[in-house]
Amino acid sequence: MADAHAHAAAHAAPPELRHHFVDLPAQREASSLGMWLFLVTEVLFFGGMFTAYVVYRSTYRRAFEGASNLLDIKLGAINTGVLIMSSLTMAMAVWAASVGKKKLIILFLLATIGLGSVFLGIKYVEYKQKFDHHEVPGPHFVVPHDEKTHEPLPRQAEMFFSLYFCMTGLHALHMIIGVGLLTWLIVKARADAFSPRYYTPVDNVGLYWHFVDIVWIFLFPLLYLLGRHTL
Amino acid sequence: MSQNGSHSRAPKAYFLVFAALMFFTALTVWAAFQHLGVWNTPVALAIAVTKALLVALIFMHLKSSPRLTILVVAASVLWLAFLIVITVSDYVTRAWLPIYPR
Amino acid sequence: MSTPTATPSQRVDYLNASYGVKSWLLTTDHKRIAILYLIGITFFFAIGGLAAALIRLELLTPAGDVFQAEMYNRIFTTHGVMMVFFFMIPGIPGVLGNFLIPLMIGAKDVAFPRLNLLSWYLFAIGGLTALWAVVHGGVDTGWTFYTPYSTVYANGWVVVTAVGIFISGFSSILTGLNFLVTLHTMRAPGMTWMRLPLFCWGMYATGIIQILGTPVIAITLLLVAAERIFHLGVFDPAQGGDPVLFQHLFWFYSHPAVYIMILPAMAVISELVTAFSRKPIFGYKFIAASSVAIAVLSFLVWGHHMFVSGQSVYAGLVFSILSFMVAIPSAIKVFNWTATLYKGSVSYQTPLLYALGFIGLFTFGGLTGLMLATLGLDVHVHDTYFIVAHFHYIMVGGTIMAYLGGLHYWWPKISGKLYPEYWSRVSAWVIFIGFNLTFFPQFIVGYLGMPRRYHAYPEEFQVLNVMSTAGASILGIGYVIPLIYFVYSMRYGKDAADNPWGATGLEWQTPSPPPTENFPDTPVVTGRPYDYLTGREEEAVG
């Protein structure tokens, strides 16, 4: 009788299974698809600003190249390395969850938070430099001078900095949210919420973190490197 | 034990990818200072795309994900291409008709 | 049916399963969330409708004598913002999509019930935020927020309104995400893609647009807000910005957005047409494929809103051709619906009256859309009432009629009650007549040159404007009548059977109203969709 089977299955239902899903594989499939669809929205979200960047860079090439050279390439490169390393530790955290090593999960999550915080700290230093040099767009903007020729840059350098702050600012906001999510994961891990059978939240936050890394992988050359060949 | 077909990869692959990503970062910084003319940008983008693919395929397990997931990711890239390419095509083709002030 | 039928007063269903405000505001039941959306969108529709009434009041006379120009601008902006973002876009997905999709596929709920509730809260909070802006004086930029007026020169609550729309955009994204995952992963055994009700195909296509399009307007609104607050100049020519870039980014979403508004409506019509012809729908695969084709093509035509903005003529040409192409799948649907009705056993009940109204008015409005896709003609009628009439034919003559048709059709399932058939037919006719009287004159007056968004107009347009206002009054009455009898029916209406229409579909295999878990046992699907027995009495389908 179908009822008896359903009855037995209900008793065997693992605690992580939400009632509207047939079984854990179905739930995992849904969670994974849902997370990837969310990342698709993030691609288009950042994509709007990349569009603005492409349009304005092609229109104001010299201004953009000159302004880009005013960014600190050392800090930018270090940040890129830091973020790549944090992707490694994040991937390790997911792996640790998949083999049920609770201490390693927490260790790698902490490492990821640490590296993410380093990234944010360096970004703060960079932003502060910009504030001090009046390179923040708006009423207090002062047209900066070219690194090499020391001529004033075209006034559309301000547009570069508008995009720089908007794009890296939105990216930094995503990092901050990511750090929050990682902290939440540590809390859950300590409460033994994860097992090799169920570690979906770790997997999903991992996807999010890697995505934020990918955004930076594009931001770094587009913002920091585009004018270096003129030096 | 695996989760929805994406197998928990042994850590070794992750370290290899990490090394590759660091190498490509150094490469793109070095290439930026070279005088490659019009090729500076395509080279930088190619390196960035390679890095992104490494992260997506290996760190994000896209390589061992269901086909639907790969389709979803491909769709997002395609749509981003629609947005950028079609918008830029407006600006690029304006000069074709010699009625706009330049 | 295997279980004995308890009388409705004894049976536990999703409405009486628990009582109290908390049980509604903290529900994760997709059916209750649908009711929450129903209340929400009706509320915002009333606000937008009030704004419309004020617009038509001003336009009774040629002089701008009721409101100052700037006040009038705030009114039509309120009308647009409320109707587009807080009624049309959330409307059918939030109400009918939420209620029906799990039932139609034999599932217990959507994939992410808690996200679903969050969706509703984001919609409500976004709407109330925008409403706060309206109450405190509103915005006069038009719902399109063109820069640099909106970013530099406009006085008013631009940022607050933008934030309200931004928040509501997340609601739309989460709804689309939920529906896509639900349809992919939670179909009952035997419910293959080709057995899916066409309503679900339509909602699937809508979800594609919601996921891919909404984020772009989200970032655009953020940039507008950033520009206003931090004086950035991304879209301000004085600082090197390009207003046309804003338009590209804005319309990249806002054109597909109109398909978020029409695809669910078409999805409803597919269900109504087949049920009231008692025939399998003609060309199931074509209708399903057309829905997805519309979703994809809709992203490639946005420049037809920008023919006179300074956009490249060559880009305009390509957008024009693509805009012609996007009409083709819609036309395919109209042909298939017509073919379904042909030689069907047609019963002219209220839902079908709305469906027929939809087919006629949507086709008419759609054809005027082809006129607008014609670049040369659009240059003449751009920013006139011709455009206004075109999109109202689609959105009001199309979507709202489909929404009402669907609401009537599924009302017995949603409420367990029957609405009064006589009054429902009366209001359907009142709405149809009122609608045409309101908007047909606008085609004429627009072609003759009356611009949109002006509070005053030349004397020679007054007769047509008076007709339009008269029509709007009738239309308003037509909308109030169902509001009254739906509420009335919940208390005094006749109890509905499980399947009062004798229709196919899993949603009719469960009681009216359904229990919270939808189906006591997971259904197994074995037959084709719309498997109406032709030429014989419908047998009880167990």
Side-chain angles (χ1 to χ4, degrees):
Chain A
M1 222 12 256
D3 287 318
H5 283 260
H7 195 66
H11 273 295
E16 308 93 5
L17 180 66
R18 311 270 341 274
H19 77 101
H20 54 282
F21 284 112
V22 167
D23 54 25
L24 265 186
Q27 181 174 304
R28 274 189 227 121
E29 186 193 353
S31 300
S32 174
L33 180 61
M35 190 63 207
W36 278 104
L37 284 173
F38 173 70
L39 291 182
V40 165
T41 69
E42 292 275 50
V43 170
L44 272 309
F45 192 49
F46 279 96
M49 286 199 293
F50 278 99
T51 308
Y53 170 89
V54 172
V55 168
Y56 287 130
R57 172 172 157 175
S58 58
T59 314
Y60 304 130
R61 190 171 195 93
R62 242 185 28 84
F64 268 50
E65 284 173 352
S68 163
N69 290 337
L70 296 170
L71 296 181
D72 191 329
I73 194 175
K74 279 200 288 294
L75 290 182
I78 292 173
N79 254 355
T80 308
V82 164
L83 214 49
I84 290 172
M85 205 178 307
S86 78
S87 258
L88 172 67
T89 56
M90 185 71 230
M92 294 302 295
V94 176
W95 167 80
S98 73
V99 294
K101 298 191 185 227
K102 176 174 156 183
K103 282 211 180 66
L104 279 184
I105 301 176
I106 296 175
L107 178 71
F108 283 121
L109 288 176
L110 281 171
T112 311
I113 291 179
L115 289 164
S117 306
V118 168
F119 179 95
L120 289 169
I122 293 179
K123 270 256 78 48
Y124 171 78
V125 167
E126 285 187 270
Y127 277 13
K128 188 150 183 323
Q129 273 176 6
K130 297 280 160 289
F131 270 93
D132 293 338
H133 297 158
H134 297 285
E135 285 160 355
V136 174
H140 305 293
F141 183 77
V142 171
V143 177
H145 291 252
D146 188 286
E147 275 276 284
K148 191 164 146 197
T149 66
H150 302 290
E151 298 279 303
L153 288 171
R155 31 182 297 267
Q156 291 88 9
E158 187 181 10
M159 184 63 73
F160 174 85
F161 284 107
S162 290
L163 287 172
Y164 168 79
F165 276 104
C166 285
M167 294 170 93
T168 60
L170 187 65
H171 178 266
L173 177 64
H174 279 77
M175 295 272 311
I176 295 172
I177 293 172
V179 168
L181 290 170
L182 290 164
T183 310
W184 171 72
L185 281 184
I186 291 180
V187 169
K188 287 195 74 161
R190 293 188 70 206
D192 292 306
F194 306 127
S195 68
R197 193 180 56 191
Y198 174 78
Y199 58 97
T200 308
V202 187
D203 214 356
N204 284 347
V205 173
L207 289 178
Y208 175 84
W209 191 263
H210 293 309
F211 172 78
V212 178
D213 186 19
I214 289 181
V215 173
W216 183 260
I217 282 173
F218 285 98
L219 285 183
F220 176 60
L222 291 178
L223 293 175
Y224 288 80
L225 301 183
L226 72 115
R228 304 286 157 177
H229 62 96
T230 63
L231 289 173
Chain B
M1 179 74 197
S2 64
Q3 265 223 156
N4 51 267
S6 69
H7 302 282
S8 38
R9 194 170 285 277
K12 196 166 87 151
Y14 292 158
F15 287 98
L16 285 173
V17 167
F18 169 72
L21 289 170
M22 295 302 261
F23 164 74
F24 280 120
T25 305
L27 180 66
T28 198
V29 171
W30 173 82
F33 286 96
Q34 309 311 309
H35 298 279
L36 303 173
V38 297
W39 291 102
N40 273 102
T41 307
V43 164
L45 279 176
I47 295 175
V49 167
T50 307
K51 289 164 76 178
L53 278 173
L54 282 171
V55 173
L57 289 171
I58 312 296
F59 281 164
M60 297 172 88
H61 308 130
L62 199 55
K63 198 153 158 264
S64 46
S65 284
R67 269 207 336 247
L68 177 62
T69 310
I70 300 176
L71 178 66
V72 163
V73 172
S76 73
V77 173
L78 180 63
W79 254 251
L80 183 59
F82 284 157
L83 174 59
I84 296 180
V85 170
I86 299 178
T87 301
V88 167
S89 76
D90 170 26
Y91 293 92
V92 161
T93 58
R94 281 189 198 172
W96 291 5
L97 208 55
I99 62 173
Y100 298 107
R102 263 283 131 211
Chain C
M1 282 192 279
S2 50
T3 47
T5 320
T7 62
S9 54
Q10 298 167 346
R11 198 173 9 105
V12 176
D13 56 55
Y14 80 99
L15 285 170
N16 60 28
S18 53
Y19 290 102
V21 174
K22 249 178 74 171
S23 76
W24 280 88
L25 291 181
L26 293 179
T27 183
T28 53
D29 180 359
H30 65 100
K31 301 180 288 298
R32 287 195 167 198
I33 293 175
I35 305 289
L36 291 176
Y37 268 104
L38 177 61
I39 297 170
I41 66 164
T42 308
F43 172 71
F44 290 114
F45 180 74
I47 312 262
L50 175 63
L54 295 176
I55 292 174
R56 289 310 329 161
L57 184 66
E58 170 66 86
L59 294 180
L60 263 179
T61 57
D65 44 10
V66 181
F67 302 108
Q68 304 276 25
E70 207 193 275
M71 181 64 187
Y72 181 78
N73 297 351
R74 288 167 194 256
I75 294 173
F76 69 66
T77 304
T78 301
H79 173 70
V81 168
M82 285 288 141
M83 289 303 201
V84 168
F85 294 111
F86 305 107
F87 173 70
M88 296 288 289
I89 284 175
I92 296 180
V95 180
L96 296 175
N98 263 321
F99 194 92
L100 293 167
I101 290 179
L103 286 168
M104 284 180 166
I105 65 174
K108 287 201 170 70
D109 210 306
V110 291
F112 307 116
R114 289 175 301 186
L115 267 190
N116 206 9
L117 182 65
L118 176 64
S119 267
W120 182 80
Y121 273 103
L122 291 173
F123 154 73
I125 292 170
L128 290 173
T129 305
L131 185 61
W132 186 96
V134 168
V135 163
H136 287 83
V139 160
D140 63 347
T141 59
W143 77 275
T144 46
F145 290 103
Y146 274 18
T147 64
Y149 183 67
S150 64
T151 51
V152 179
Y153 303 102
N155 300 315
W157 300 99
V158 174
V159 174
V160 175
T161 309
V163 167
I165 297 170
F166 179 87
I167 294 172
S168 192
F170 269 103
S171 166
S172 188
I173 286 174
L174 291 178
T175 299
L177 193 154
N178 231 330
F179 289 170
L180 286 173
V181 177
T182 304
L183 289 167
H184 266 287
T185 63
M186 294 179 72
R187 284 165 287 130
M191 174 69 76
T192 60
W193 282 101
M194 288 295 121
R195 289 179 180 166
L196 209 52
L198 286 169
F199 178 81
C200 296
W201 272 104
M203 300 310 300
Y204 183 83
T206 308
I208 295 176
I209 304 180
Q210 286 169 301
I211 292 286
L212 289 167
T214 316
V216 179
I217 196 176
I219 192 66
T220 309
L221 290 171
L222 274 195
L223 286 174
V224 166
E227 188 159 321
R228 252 183 104 80
I229 298 173
F230 301 115
H231 307 288
L232 289 183
V234 179
F235 302 122
D236 180 12
Q239 294 179 260
D242 184 9
V244 176
L245 177 64
F246 169 84
Q247 293 183 31
H248 276 297
L249 293 173
F250 177 84
W251 287 112
F252 181 85
Y253 164 75
S254 298
H255 185 78
V258 313
Y259 294 94
I260 297 179
M261 302 181 218
I262 199 64
L263 277 171
M266 291 170 155
V268 170
I269 298 301
S270 293
E271 298 292 326
L272 299 184
V273 158
T274 181
F276 290 92
S277 312
R278 307 202 69 68
K279 252 178 90 190
I281 195 148
F282 186 93
Y284 172 96
K285 288 205 175 102
F286 274 92
I287 297 187
S290 293
S291 305
V292 177
I294 290 174
V296 174
L297 285 172
S298 71
F299 278 94
L300 303 178
V301 300
W302 78 83
H304 66 228
H305 297 269
M306 298 163 61
F307 284 147
V308 300
S309 297
Q311 180 179 259
S312 138
V313 170
Y314 293 94
L317 284 175
V318 175
F319 279 124
S320 174
I321 295 173
L322 288 166
S323 302
F324 276 100
M325 283 167 54
V326 79
I328 296 174
S330 297
I332 288 176
K333 291 194 185 199
V334 172
F335 292 141
N336 283 335
W337 292 325
T338 313
T340 307
L341 288 163
Y342 180 67
K343 290 206 175 159
S345 171
V346 178
S347 124
Y348 292 95
Q349 281 152 302
T350 303
L352 187 68
L353 293 183
Y354 281 113
L356 293 174
F358 175 97
I359 294 175
L361 297 175
F362 169 77
T363 303
F364 190 80
L367 290 173
T368 63
L370 287 176
M371 294 167 71
L372 297 175
T374 314
L375 214 164
L377 184 54
D378 184 73
V379 170
H380 175 65
V381 297
H382 181 76
D383 267 347
T384 68
Y385 262 86
F386 194 94
I387 308 278
V388 175
H390 158 70
F391 63 70
H392 281 96
Y393 259 76
I394 308 284
M395 298 206 280
V396 183
T399 300
I400 298 189
M401 293 200 90
Y403 172 65
L404 288 172
L407 207 54
H408 282 80
Y409 179 57
W410 282 295
W411 186 253
K413 182 59 57 182
I414 294 173
S415 66
K417 301 288 188 184
L418 296 173
Y419 57 82
E421 182 70 16
Y422 172 76
W423 283 107
S424 66
R425 290 192 205 200
V426 165
S427 56
W429 277 104
V430 170
I431 288 174
F432 184 79
I433 292 168
F435 168 83
N436 280 295
L437 189 57
T438 308
F439 292 108
F440 191 81
Q442 293 184 7
F443 276 122
I444 302 172
V445 93
Y447 189 78
L448 291 175
M450 177 178 170
R452 65 186 285 202
R453 294 178 168 170
Y454 276 56
H455 73 144
Y457 54 82
E459 293 254 349
E460 62 256 35
F461 298 141
Q462 180 167 25
V463 172
L464 290 163
N465 271 292
V466 169
M467 284 171 67
S468 182
T469 300
S473 319
I474 297 170
L475 185 60
I477 294 171
Y479 286 140
V480 168
I481 303 176
L483 187 62
I484 297 174
Y485 65 63
F486 275 137
V487 173
Y488 172 93
S489 77
M490 291 185 68
R491 188 82 149 86
Y492 301 107
K494 284 217 287 275
D495 290 330
D498 294 357
N499 192 355
W501 310 109
T504 63
L506 286 177
E507 75 269 28
W508 302 109
Q509 308 304 318
T510 183
S512 304
T516 303
E517 70 274 13
N518 294 342
F519 301 95
D521 301 307
T522 307
V524 177
V525 177
T526 51
R528 300 175 305 154
Y530 311 116
D531 205 4
Y532 287 98
L533 307 165
T534 47
R536 291 182 280 156
E537 284 295 294
E538 181 80 344
E539 286 164 21
V541 185

